[in-house]
mmCIF file of all heavy atoms in Angstrom:
data_model
loop_
_atom_site.group_PDB
_atom_site.id
_atom_site.type_symbol
_atom_site.label_atom_id
_atom_site.label_comp_id
_atom_site.label_asym_id
_atom_site.label_seq_id
_atom_site.Cartn_x
_atom_site.Cartn_y
_atom_site.Cartn_z
ATOM 1 N N LEU M 362 -4.474 7.232 23.038
ATOM 2 C CA LEU M 362 -3.415 7.792 23.887
ATOM 3 C C LEU M 362 -3.608 7.404 25.264
ATOM 4 O O LEU M 362 -4.709 7.736 25.766
ATOM 5 C CB LEU M 362 -3.239 9.306 23.730
ATOM 6 C CG LEU M 362 -2.669 9.909 22.432
ATOM 7 C CD1 LEU M 362 -1.473 9.201 21.929
ATOM 8 C CD2 LEU M 362 -3.708 9.881 21.303
ATOM 9 N N VAL M 363 -2.670 6.684 25.991
ATOM 10 C CA VAL M 363 -2.923 6.115 27.221
ATOM 11 C C VAL M 363 -1.825 6.685 28.196
ATOM 12 O O VAL M 363 -0.706 6.296 28.141
ATOM 13 C CB VAL M 363 -2.882 4.615 27.204
ATOM 14 C CG1 VAL M 363 -3.236 4.008 28.646
ATOM 15 C CG2 VAL M 363 -3.869 4.076 26.221
ATOM 16 N N LYS M 364 -2.280 7.469 29.135
ATOM 17 C CA LYS M 364 -1.401 8.215 30.030
ATOM 18 C C LYS M 364 -0.502 7.179 30.869
ATOM 19 O O LYS M 364 0.727 7.360 30.931
ATOM 20 C CB LYS M 364 -2.230 9.010 31.065
ATOM 21 C CG LYS M 364 -1.388 10.014 31.901
ATOM 22 C CD LYS M 364 -2.298 10.908 32.744
ATOM 23 C CE LYS M 364 -1.540 11.866 33.514
ATOM 24 N NZ LYS M 364 -2.435 12.726 34.298
ATOM 25 N N GLU M 365 -1.172 6.164 31.394
ATOM 26 C CA GLU M 365 -0.515 5.106 32.077
ATOM 27 C C GLU M 365 0.744 4.559 31.355
ATOM 28 O O GLU M 365 1.801 4.269 32.003
ATOM 29 C CB GLU M 365 -1.479 3.998 32.362
ATOM 30 C CG GLU M 365 -0.991 2.769 32.970
ATOM 31 C CD GLU M 365 -2.130 1.688 32.874
ATOM 32 O OE1 GLU M 365 -2.559 1.296 31.811
ATOM 33 O OE2 GLU M 365 -2.462 1.119 33.970
ATOM 34 N N LEU M 366 0.633 4.330 30.087
ATOM 35 C CA LEU M 366 1.730 3.783 29.371
ATOM 36 C C LEU M 366 2.972 4.601 29.483
ATOM 37 O O LEU M 366 4.126 4.165 29.588
ATOM 38 C CB LEU M 366 1.412 3.581 27.851
ATOM 39 C CG LEU M 366 0.535 2.373 27.521
ATOM 40 C CD1 LEU M 366 0.255 2.403 26.048
ATOM 41 C CD2 LEU M 366 1.214 1.115 27.883
ATOM 42 N N PHE M 367 2.825 5.906 29.285
ATOM 43 C CA PHE M 367 3.910 6.884 29.325
ATOM 44 C C PHE M 367 4.542 6.985 30.646
ATOM 45 O O PHE M 367 5.772 7.165 30.855
ATOM 46 C CB PHE M 367 3.607 8.275 28.708
ATOM 47 C CG PHE M 367 2.908 8.102 27.397
ATOM 48 C CD1 PHE M 367 1.607 8.363 27.279
ATOM 49 C CD2 PHE M 367 3.601 7.652 26.319
ATOM 50 C CE1 PHE M 367 0.978 8.211 26.031
ATOM 51 C CE2 PHE M 367 3.029 7.461 25.076
ATOM 52 C CZ PHE M 367 1.646 7.711 24.944
ATOM 53 N N ALA M 368 3.680 6.887 31.676
ATOM 54 C CA ALA M 368 4.199 7.009 33.074
ATOM 55 C C ALA M 368 4.954 5.779 33.469
ATOM 56 O O ALA M 368 6.007 5.862 34.169
ATOM 57 C CB ALA M 368 2.964 7.137 34.043
ATOM 58 N N SER M 369 4.559 4.585 32.908
ATOM 59 C CA SER M 369 5.143 3.293 33.419
ATOM 60 C C SER M 369 6.392 2.950 32.639
ATOM 61 O O SER M 369 7.250 2.177 33.162
ATOM 62 C CB SER M 369 4.188 2.240 33.405
ATOM 63 O OG SER M 369 3.625 2.144 32.096
ATOM 64 N N LEU M 370 6.582 3.516 31.450
ATOM 65 C CA LEU M 370 7.811 3.163 30.776
ATOM 66 C C LEU M 370 8.879 4.154 31.083
ATOM 67 O O LEU M 370 8.674 5.340 31.234
ATOM 68 C CB LEU M 370 7.608 3.198 29.262
ATOM 69 C CG LEU M 370 6.795 2.087 28.596
ATOM 70 C CD1 LEU M 370 6.392 2.397 27.247
ATOM 71 C CD2 LEU M 370 7.602 0.817 28.631
ATOM 72 N N SER M 371 10.131 3.631 31.297
ATOM 73 C CA SER M 371 11.190 4.540 31.738
ATOM 74 C C SER M 371 11.619 5.212 30.369
ATOM 75 O O SER M 371 12.317 4.616 29.562
ATOM 76 C CB SER M 371 12.374 3.760 32.390
ATOM 77 O OG SER M 371 12.784 2.821 31.525
ATOM 78 N N GLN M 372 11.292 6.458 30.195
ATOM 79 C CA GLN M 372 11.632 7.210 29.040
ATOM 80 C C GLN M 372 12.177 8.563 29.422
ATOM 81 O O GLN M 372 11.606 9.141 30.436
ATOM 82 C CB GLN M 372 10.392 7.401 28.105
ATOM 83 C CG GLN M 372 9.772 6.200 27.666
ATOM 84 C CD GLN M 372 8.583 6.483 26.818
ATOM 85 O OE1 GLN M 372 8.465 7.561 26.319
ATOM 86 N NE2 GLN M 372 7.725 5.524 26.744
ATOM 87 N N ASP M 373 13.075 9.060 28.714
ATOM 88 C CA ASP M 373 13.435 10.378 28.922
ATOM 89 C C ASP M 373 12.836 11.286 27.690
ATOM 90 O O ASP M 373 13.370 11.201 26.585
ATOM 91 C CB ASP M 373 14.925 10.452 28.833
ATOM 92 C CG ASP M 373 15.451 11.965 29.010
ATOM 93 O OD1 ASP M 373 14.598 12.932 28.826
ATOM 94 O OD2 ASP M 373 16.680 12.173 29.317
ATOM 95 N N PRO M 374 11.739 11.891 27.961
ATOM 96 C CA PRO M 374 11.036 12.557 26.960
ATOM 97 C C PRO M 374 11.855 13.689 26.262
ATOM 98 O O PRO M 374 11.726 14.077 25.091
ATOM 99 C CB PRO M 374 9.801 13.107 27.592
ATOM 100 C CG PRO M 374 10.075 13.230 28.967
ATOM 101 C CD PRO M 374 11.116 12.136 29.267
ATOM 102 N N VAL M 375 12.783 14.317 27.050
ATOM 103 C CA VAL M 375 13.493 15.363 26.464
ATOM 104 C C VAL M 375 14.481 14.876 25.323
ATOM 105 O O VAL M 375 14.508 15.418 24.310
ATOM 106 C CB VAL M 375 14.327 16.110 27.577
ATOM 107 C CG1 VAL M 375 15.259 17.123 26.950
ATOM 108 C CG2 VAL M 375 13.474 16.668 28.636
ATOM 109 N N ARG M 376 15.035 13.787 25.730
ATOM 110 C CA ARG M 376 15.989 13.248 24.653
ATOM 111 C C ARG M 376 15.277 12.724 23.465
ATOM 112 O O ARG M 376 15.716 12.804 22.348
ATOM 113 C CB ARG M 376 16.800 12.117 25.306
ATOM 114 C CG ARG M 376 17.802 12.614 26.337
ATOM 115 C CD ARG M 376 18.569 11.407 26.886
ATOM 116 N NE ARG M 376 19.342 11.869 28.047
ATOM 117 C CZ ARG M 376 20.138 11.184 28.760
ATOM 118 N NH1 ARG M 376 20.299 9.884 28.526
ATOM 119 N NH2 ARG M 376 20.821 11.691 29.798
ATOM 120 N N SER M 377 14.160 12.013 23.778
ATOM 121 C CA SER M 377 13.579 11.238 22.722
ATOM 122 C C SER M 377 12.525 11.884 21.831
ATOM 123 O O SER M 377 12.320 11.666 20.589
ATOM 124 C CB SER M 377 12.986 9.921 23.282
ATOM 125 O OG SER M 377 11.864 10.315 24.154
ATOM 126 N N SER M 378 11.842 12.851 22.411
ATOM 127 C CA SER M 378 10.685 13.338 21.704
ATOM 128 C C SER M 378 10.497 14.933 21.727
ATOM 129 O O SER M 378 9.739 15.371 20.920
ATOM 130 C CB SER M 378 9.374 12.725 22.278
ATOM 131 O OG SER M 378 9.283 13.075 23.535
ATOM 132 N N LEU M 379 11.127 15.556 22.612
ATOM 133 C CA LEU M 379 10.812 16.977 22.833
ATOM 134 C C LEU M 379 11.067 17.766 21.543
ATOM 135 O O LEU M 379 10.475 18.812 21.270
ATOM 136 C CB LEU M 379 11.575 17.550 24.002
ATOM 137 C CG LEU M 379 10.875 18.725 24.716
ATOM 138 C CD1 LEU M 379 9.606 18.349 25.363
ATOM 139 C CD2 LEU M 379 11.806 19.368 25.695
ATOM 140 N N GLY M 380 12.060 17.336 20.801
ATOM 141 C CA GLY M 380 12.415 18.059 19.580
ATOM 142 C C GLY M 380 11.225 18.093 18.623
ATOM 143 O O GLY M 380 10.895 19.069 18.019
ATOM 144 N N GLU M 381 10.506 16.946 18.481
ATOM 145 C CA GLU M 381 9.307 16.905 17.621
ATOM 146 C C GLU M 381 8.171 17.811 18.203
ATOM 147 O O GLU M 381 7.495 18.472 17.406
ATOM 148 C CB GLU M 381 8.826 15.498 17.453
ATOM 149 C CG GLU M 381 9.662 14.627 16.494
ATOM 150 C CD GLU M 381 9.521 15.003 15.016
ATOM 151 O OE1 GLU M 381 8.786 15.968 14.646
ATOM 152 O OE2 GLU M 381 10.184 14.243 14.238
ATOM 153 N N LEU M 382 8.044 17.793 19.488
ATOM 154 C CA LEU M 382 7.002 18.629 20.116
ATOM 155 C C LEU M 382 7.280 20.116 19.724
ATOM 156 O O LEU M 382 6.410 20.874 19.386
ATOM 157 C CB LEU M 382 6.932 18.485 21.621
ATOM 158 C CG LEU M 382 5.830 19.184 22.334
ATOM 159 C CD1 LEU M 382 4.490 18.502 22.131
ATOM 160 C CD2 LEU M 382 6.089 19.423 23.758
ATOM 161 N N ILE M 383 8.545 20.598 20.060
ATOM 162 C CA ILE M 383 8.821 21.929 19.809
ATOM 163 C C ILE M 383 8.777 22.313 18.339
ATOM 164 O O ILE M 383 8.324 23.355 17.924
ATOM 165 C CB ILE M 383 10.232 22.289 20.432
ATOM 166 C CG1 ILE M 383 10.096 22.251 21.912
ATOM 167 C CG2 ILE M 383 10.819 23.609 19.977
ATOM 168 C CD1 ILE M 383 11.400 22.272 22.736
ATOM 169 N N LYS M 384 9.198 21.344 17.553
ATOM 170 C CA LYS M 384 9.065 21.561 16.007
ATOM 171 C C LYS M 384 7.670 21.875 15.621
ATOM 172 O O LYS M 384 7.406 22.919 14.952
ATOM 173 C CB LYS M 384 9.522 20.319 15.268
ATOM 174 C CG LYS M 384 9.331 20.431 13.774
ATOM 175 C CD LYS M 384 9.072 19.100 13.115
ATOM 176 C CE LYS M 384 7.620 18.594 13.240
ATOM 177 N NZ LYS M 384 7.336 17.349 12.556
ATOM 178 N N ILE M 385 6.696 21.068 16.118
ATOM 179 C CA ILE M 385 5.357 21.363 15.725
ATOM 180 C C ILE M 385 4.769 22.613 16.226
ATOM 181 O O ILE M 385 4.075 23.368 15.638
ATOM 182 C CB ILE M 385 4.377 20.147 16.023
ATOM 183 C CG1 ILE M 385 3.009 20.267 15.261
ATOM 184 C CG2 ILE M 385 4.151 19.942 17.475
ATOM 185 C CD1 ILE M 385 3.111 20.301 13.813
ATOM 186 N N GLY M 386 5.314 23.038 17.450
ATOM 187 C CA GLY M 386 4.981 24.292 18.015
ATOM 188 C C GLY M 386 5.468 25.429 17.158
ATOM 189 O O GLY M 386 4.760 26.397 16.817
ATOM 190 N N ILE M 387 6.767 25.348 16.742
ATOM 191 C CA ILE M 387 7.319 26.407 15.844
ATOM 192 C C ILE M 387 6.549 26.473 14.582
ATOM 193 O O ILE M 387 6.182 27.537 13.979
ATOM 194 C CB ILE M 387 8.717 26.122 15.602
ATOM 195 C CG1 ILE M 387 9.568 26.336 16.851
ATOM 196 C CG2 ILE M 387 9.353 27.089 14.551
ATOM 197 C CD1 ILE M 387 11.043 26.005 16.715
ATOM 198 N N VAL M 388 6.200 25.264 13.976
ATOM 199 C CA VAL M 388 5.538 25.252 12.669
ATOM 200 C C VAL M 388 4.070 25.850 12.722
ATOM 201 O O VAL M 388 3.727 26.672 11.917
ATOM 202 C CB VAL M 388 5.464 23.871 12.086
ATOM 203 C CG1 VAL M 388 4.601 23.781 10.825
ATOM 204 C CG2 VAL M 388 6.960 23.365 11.795
ATOM 205 N N ASN M 389 3.412 25.406 13.719
ATOM 206 C CA ASN M 389 1.944 25.723 13.641
ATOM 207 C C ASN M 389 1.235 25.908 14.979
ATOM 208 O O ASN M 389 0.012 25.874 15.041
ATOM 209 C CB ASN M 389 1.176 24.526 12.875
ATOM 210 C CG ASN M 389 -0.103 24.857 12.467
ATOM 211 O OD1 ASN M 389 -0.346 25.959 12.024
ATOM 212 N ND2 ASN M 389 -0.948 23.847 12.380
ATOM 213 N N SER M 390 2.001 26.165 16.114
ATOM 214 C CA SER M 390 1.260 26.317 17.394
ATOM 215 C C SER M 390 2.038 27.254 18.303
ATOM 216 O O SER M 390 2.582 26.763 19.338
ATOM 217 C CB SER M 390 1.022 24.934 17.957
ATOM 218 O OG SER M 390 0.187 25.078 19.077
ATOM 219 N N PRO M 391 2.138 28.552 18.056
ATOM 220 C CA PRO M 391 2.902 29.410 18.928
ATOM 221 C C PRO M 391 2.488 29.398 20.388
ATOM 222 O O PRO M 391 3.266 29.483 21.275
ATOM 223 C CB PRO M 391 2.515 30.833 18.279
ATOM 224 C CG PRO M 391 2.087 30.562 16.966
ATOM 225 C CD PRO M 391 1.495 29.155 16.867
ATOM 226 N N SER M 392 1.182 29.112 20.618
ATOM 227 C CA SER M 392 0.715 29.135 22.027
ATOM 228 C C SER M 392 1.302 27.956 22.793
ATOM 229 O O SER M 392 1.532 28.025 23.973
ATOM 230 C CB SER M 392 -0.796 29.103 22.119
ATOM 231 O OG SER M 392 -1.303 27.876 21.611
ATOM 232 N N LEU M 393 1.641 26.868 22.065
ATOM 233 C CA LEU M 393 2.296 25.746 22.634
ATOM 234 C C LEU M 393 3.673 26.154 23.136
ATOM 235 O O LEU M 393 4.098 25.780 24.247
ATOM 236 C CB LEU M 393 2.327 24.584 21.706
ATOM 237 C CG LEU M 393 2.881 23.265 22.128
ATOM 238 C CD1 LEU M 393 2.174 22.137 21.330
ATOM 239 C CD2 LEU M 393 4.315 23.012 22.040
ATOM 240 N N ILE M 394 4.362 26.832 22.327
ATOM 241 C CA ILE M 394 5.695 27.350 22.722
ATOM 242 C C ILE M 394 5.590 28.424 23.829
ATOM 243 O O ILE M 394 6.366 28.270 24.791
ATOM 244 C CB ILE M 394 6.460 28.002 21.448
ATOM 245 C CG1 ILE M 394 6.480 27.052 20.350
ATOM 246 C CG2 ILE M 394 7.753 28.563 21.928
ATOM 247 C CD1 ILE M 394 7.449 25.853 20.533
ATOM 248 N N GLU M 395 4.632 29.194 23.713
ATOM 249 C CA GLU M 395 4.437 30.311 24.800
ATOM 250 C C GLU M 395 4.170 29.612 26.148
ATOM 251 O O GLU M 395 4.724 30.009 27.219
ATOM 252 C CB GLU M 395 3.282 31.168 24.438
ATOM 253 C CG GLU M 395 3.478 32.032 23.156
ATOM 254 C CD GLU M 395 4.749 32.974 23.185
ATOM 255 O OE1 GLU M 395 5.239 33.245 24.277
ATOM 256 O OE2 GLU M 395 5.165 33.315 22.121
ATOM 257 N N PHE M 396 3.313 28.552 26.122
ATOM 258 C CA PHE M 396 3.067 27.806 27.410
ATOM 259 C C PHE M 396 4.398 27.239 27.959
ATOM 260 O O PHE M 396 4.656 27.439 29.162
ATOM 261 C CB PHE M 396 2.136 26.674 27.079
ATOM 262 C CG PHE M 396 1.941 25.748 28.284
ATOM 263 C CD1 PHE M 396 0.997 26.041 29.296
ATOM 264 C CD2 PHE M 396 2.808 24.592 28.502
ATOM 265 C CE1 PHE M 396 0.876 25.200 30.392
ATOM 266 C CE2 PHE M 396 2.686 23.841 29.582
ATOM 267 C CZ PHE M 396 1.681 24.059 30.516
ATOM 268 N N MET M 397 5.242 26.746 27.109
ATOM 269 C CA MET M 397 6.427 26.137 27.576
ATOM 270 C C MET M 397 7.395 27.156 28.086
ATOM 271 O O MET M 397 8.172 26.893 29.033
ATOM 272 C CB MET M 397 7.085 25.249 26.514
ATOM 273 C CG MET M 397 6.332 24.010 26.200
ATOM 274 S SD MET M 397 7.095 23.093 24.829
ATOM 275 C CE MET M 397 8.573 22.364 25.582
ATOM 276 N N LYS M 398 7.367 28.302 27.487
ATOM 277 C CA LYS M 398 8.252 29.416 27.924
ATOM 278 C C LYS M 398 7.827 29.845 29.303
ATOM 279 O O LYS M 398 8.706 30.150 30.163
ATOM 280 C CB LYS M 398 8.028 30.619 26.977
ATOM 281 C CG LYS M 398 9.005 30.644 25.785
ATOM 282 C CD LYS M 398 8.787 32.050 25.109
ATOM 283 C CE LYS M 398 9.324 32.047 23.742
ATOM 284 N NZ LYS M 398 8.797 33.132 22.843
ATOM 285 N N ASP M 399 6.497 29.914 29.603
ATOM 286 C CA ASP M 399 6.060 30.479 30.783
ATOM 287 C C ASP M 399 6.061 29.579 31.970
ATOM 288 O O ASP M 399 5.957 29.979 33.128
ATOM 289 C CB ASP M 399 4.587 30.990 30.609
ATOM 290 C CG ASP M 399 4.472 32.139 29.570
ATOM 291 O OD1 ASP M 399 5.639 32.769 29.322
ATOM 292 O OD2 ASP M 399 3.494 32.463 29.158
ATOM 293 N N THR M 400 6.151 28.232 31.709
ATOM 294 C CA THR M 400 6.032 27.371 32.842
ATOM 295 C C THR M 400 7.547 26.994 33.358
ATOM 296 O O THR M 400 8.489 27.032 32.599
ATOM 297 C CB THR M 400 5.355 26.072 32.426
ATOM 298 O OG1 THR M 400 5.357 25.197 33.631
ATOM 299 C CG2 THR M 400 6.059 25.284 31.387
#
Side-chain angles (χ1 to χ4, degrees):
Chain M
L362 289 310
V363 182
K364 193 174 181 180
E365 172 190 58
L366 280 178
F367 307 111
S369 54
L370 286 168
S371 59
Q372 298 178 23
D373 181 341
V375 176
R376 292 180 190 182
S377 63
S378 66
L379 208 65
E381 286 287 2
L382 184 79
I383 291 173
K384 177 210 78 179
I385 194 61
I387 293 175
V388 171
N389 198 32
S390 188
S392 67
L393 187 151
I394 304 290
E395 298 302 342
F396 172 89
M397 290 177 73
K398 271 188 196 160
D399 292 345
T400 181

